Amino acid sequence: FIDDLHDDNNHKINSLMMTSKHTTICGGDITAHFVVFQEKILGISVAHFICYMNDILPSFVHACPNLDVSIWTGLPPNGMTLLNISNHYVEAKMGDSATAFGYSNSLPRAWHGTIVGELGYNYSGKHFTHEAFENERELLFQGVQMAGMSGGGVINGYGYLGLARAVQTDSIQNKLATVVPFHLYMLEITIIVYSI
């Protein structure tokens, strides 16, 4: 029984790594993912490390106001799987489990955790546009996130939840896994889609 469980967990982790390879791209020290929303293809990542992604980004990138989220239009690399979020997104709730996909040190990674509440603290930063963003409305997960995974998609059995990010505080040196909920930037995506 123990051997079966050992093999089963190993298979699950390998499957998660393969999912990261197919649904996210590595842009230096950051991750990005592509979605289909209302029949339009959009790239999504964090805005704070956009300078690392010049080789994969078009000239126009929209930075969401007050959020560490950037959105752009354009085709993803060949063979990449798109997340169709037109009808498969959900507002995450306390106690929900979810999985994030991304890259760390150019290797595909994933994390799985349970939402334990909102972050509730404003560890602010700045966009590549030099505008400030806040993250107190991000969802806090019971777990940590490896450096580089910020910008990956977060999903669960209900659908697309949002964008993976991490927060590090002076008192906690590990990068706490957080998620920018999709409903916070859905309006921005809708505006971009209908302006194309």
Side-chain angles (χ1 to χ4, degrees):
F1 172 75
I2 293 176
D3 287 341
D4 290 343
L5 183 62
H6 178 76
D7 290 339
D8 185 49
N9 287 336
N10 183 265
H11 176 72
K12 287 178 182 176
I13 296 300
N14 285 329
S15 296
L16 291 175
M17 299 305 104
M18 288 303 297
T19 302
S20 283
K21 281 185 177 182
H22 292 294
T23 61
T24 61
I25 56 174
C26 179
D29 289 339
I30 210 66
T31 296
H33 64 286
F34 285 81
V35 300
V36 177
F37 186 73
Q38 306 301 337
E39 301 181 358
K40 305 292 185 182
I41 297 174
L42 302 166
I44 303 176
S45 188
V46 290
H48 65 281
F49 276 148
I50 227 65
C51 55
Y52 288 105
M53 302 179 64
N54 290 335
D55 56 332
I56 60 172
L57 286 178
S59 57
F60 171 77
V61 181
H62 176 78
C64 294
N66 301 318
L67 296 173
D68 189 16
V69 177
S70 59
I71 304 167
W72 64 93
T73 60
L75 296 176
N78 287 335
M80 186 173 178
T81 301
L82 307 178
L83 301 176
N84 187 342
I85 63 173
S86 295
N87 299 308
H88 301 287
Y89 58 86
V90 65
E91 188 168 339
K93 298 189 181 302
M94 186 100 73
D96 283 354
S97 293
T99 303
F101 301 100
Y103 279 84
S104 179
N105 295 323
S106 300
L107 297 173
R109 304 289 188 188
W111 61 253
H112 183 80
T114 301
I115 299 174
V116 294
E118 286 191 350
L119 185 59
Y121 296 95
N122 183 13
Y123 303 114
S124 60
K126 288 192 174 181
H127 285 304
F128 65 97
T129 60
H130 304 294
E131 296 175 7
F133 64 79
E134 301 173 356
N135 53 24
E136 61 184 8
R137 293 177 294 170
E138 292 180 20
L139 301 176
L140 179 62
F141 274 73
Q142 192 174 28
V144 298
Q145 177 173 297
M146 299 178 76
M149 285 188 64
S150 291
V154 182
I155 64 172
N156 68 7
Y158 297 106
Y160 179 77
L161 298 184
L163 172 104
R165 247 184 46 80
V167 171
Q168 186 169 339
T169 72
D170 292 335
S171 59
I172 302 175
Q173 294 304 309
N174 289 326
K175 293 182 180 294
L176 298 175
T178 65
V179 173
V180 182
F182 179 56
H183 70 269
L184 294 181
Y185 57 93
M186 185 171 72
L187 177 60
E188 300 297 320
I189 283 185
T190 304
I191 291 170
I192 293 172
V193 163
Y194 286 103
S195 67
I196 298 174

